[in-house]
Amino acid sequence: MRPVLLGVLLALPALSLAHDVPRVPPNPTYQAECGSCHVAYPPRLLPAQAWDRIMARLERHFGSDASVDEPTKRELSAFLSRNAGRRAAPAGEEPRITQTAWFVKEHRRANMRNPADCAACHSTLKGQ
Amino acid sequence: MKRVVLAALLGAALAAQAETPEQILASYEAQARTRAPGFAGFSATRGQQFFSARHGSEWSCASCHGAPPTGQGKHAKTGKAIAALAPAAGSERFTDPAKTEKWFKRNCNDVLSRACTAQEKGDVLAYLLRSAR
């Protein structure tokens, strides 16, 4: 288990488009607004149009009210599109990272009770 | 005291927003007086009942914030840790009215499918203020 975890820790920052996208500087607004109910998911894990769909219905966000005021919404949307990834996302109004093809493939060997709780297994995502 | 020093450091703009839980409670009281004609004060006991009732939904306030609300909570769906809600636990709870209002709006919507009244918010805050560590 230890070596696997270590591998994950080392691999995470290098994920996906790391070679052509500079590492995302931490954004305090994003951490505060999108990191209060769950980890602040790394923006590169969904493409821009998937983030747009999520941002379009924050009042009914995966069964919770996650609404923010307009200026905050604009700031978050801009941050997410700027740092979004390019891999395909699932269709539908609420695209999940945990339902993208790459996620399912990467985690086929992990024992997933609650796949969206990244920090339970990836300590690099703790406190985010 | 700490708040005063911080406000001084950060400048007047922030000082205008930083409040104490007691000030926030007073503003709910002012609202309740104008909106509910028979207003007869807040009740920590009523707040406690409100806090642990499910109101017909999947969650109560305590599902995420715990009971008593002086310890660390845990988001009922995602499992993320939530800092204790009672101000006595030493957090910065109820010092930023905009933040407090934002969460009352969201969480009341999730649990009651409507906004909470000033009376309900005041009762809950009275209960949280009574919850000593």
Side-chain angles (χ1 to χ4, degrees), chain B:
Chain B
M1 189 56 207
K2 223 167 164 198
R3 213 189 84 241
V4 174
V5 173
L6 190 69
L9 288 177
L10 296 180
L14 266 185
Q17 284 169 24
E19 288 190 9
T20 63
E22 289 75 13
Q23 283 170 311
I24 293 183
L25 186 66
S27 83
Y28 287 138
E29 181 168 343
Q31 284 176 34
R33 274 187 199 293
T34 52
R35 281 176 213 173
F39 178 70
F42 294 130
S43 151
T45 309
R46 208 159 49 219
Q48 176 169 18
Q49 284 159 1
F50 180 90
F51 201 80
S52 36
R54 284 183 194 280
H55 308 276
S57 88
E58 188 187 345
W59 296 324
S60 70
C61 310
S63 305
C64 291
H65 293 297
T70 44
Q72 182 176 289
K74 187 167 181 267
H75 193 287
K77 181 106 179 249
T78 66
K80 179 164 169 115
I82 301 175
L85 199 55
S91 59
E92 291 161 14
R93 290 302 181 195
F94 300 95
T95 54
D96 173 353
K99 178 178 178 185
T100 301
E101 272 301 291
K102 177 177 77 183
W103 283 101
F104 265 130
K105 172 175 180 287
R106 289 173 169 175
N107 291 167
C108 290
N109 223 350
D110 282 351
V111 175
L112 298 101
S113 306
R114 63 164 173 84
C116 286
T117 62
Q119 173 87 57
E120 287 164 340
K121 293 179 203 173
D123 286 346
V124 165
L125 188 44
Y127 162 56
L128 294 173
L129 281 168
R130 196 191 61 184
S131 305
R133 193 124 84 136

Side-chain angles (χ1 to χ4, degrees), chain A residues 81-105:
Chain A
S81 347
R82 220 169 35 244
N83 297 292
R86 277 178 230 159
R87 282 198 256 228
E93 282 188 309
E94 294 199 308
R96 280 184 181 269
I97 294 166
T98 51
Q99 285 170 2
T100 56
W102 73 264
F103 185 95
V104 172
K105 186 161 162 263

Side-chain angles (χ1 to χ4, degrees), chain A residues 40-51:
Chain A
Y41 297 118
R44 67 183 182 283
L45 298 184
L46 284 176
Q49 50 94 355
W51 288 121

Side-chain angles (χ1 to χ4, degrees), chain A residues 9-40:
Chain A
L9 292 185
L10 295 177
L12 253 185
L15 171 79
S16 96
L17 303 166
H19 53 282
D20 57 4
V21 179
R23 288 213 52 193
V24 183
N27 178 306
T29 310
Y30 184 70
Q31 298 299 326
E33 294 294 341
C34 303
S36 44
C37 294
H38 44 62
V39 294

Side-chain angles (χ1 to χ4, degrees), chain A residues 22-127:
Chain A
R23 288 213 52 193
V24 183
N27 178 306
T29 310
Y30 184 70
Q31 298 299 326
E33 294 294 341
C34 303
S36 44
C37 294
H38 44 62
V39 294
Y41 297 118
R44 67 183 182 283
L45 298 184
L46 284 176
Q49 50 94 355
W51 288 121
D52 289 346
R53 276 180 274 153
I54 288 178
M55 294 304 292
R57 46 171 293 153
L58 283 181
E59 8 1 89
R60 283 160 297 133
H61 175 81
F62 299 92
S64 276
D65 183 342
S67 50
V68 294
D69 59 30
E70 270 307 314
T72 309
K73 189 162 155 187
R74 275 196 297 277
E75 183 184 345
L76 294 172
S77 294
F79 169 76
L80 285 166
S81 347
R82 220 169 35 244
N83 297 292
R86 277 178 230 159
R87 282 198 256 228
E93 282 188 309
E94 294 199 308
R96 280 184 181 269
I97 294 166
T98 51
Q99 285 170 2
T100 56
W102 73 264
F103 185 95
V104 172
K105 186 161 162 263
E106 284 297 344
H107 293 87
R108 65 189 180 272
R109 284 204 301 275
N111 176 18
M112 306 295 259
R113 217 187 74 253
N114 187 358
D117 187 11
C118 321
C121 305
H122 298 287
S123 57
T124 41
L125 289 171
K126 241 195 202 111

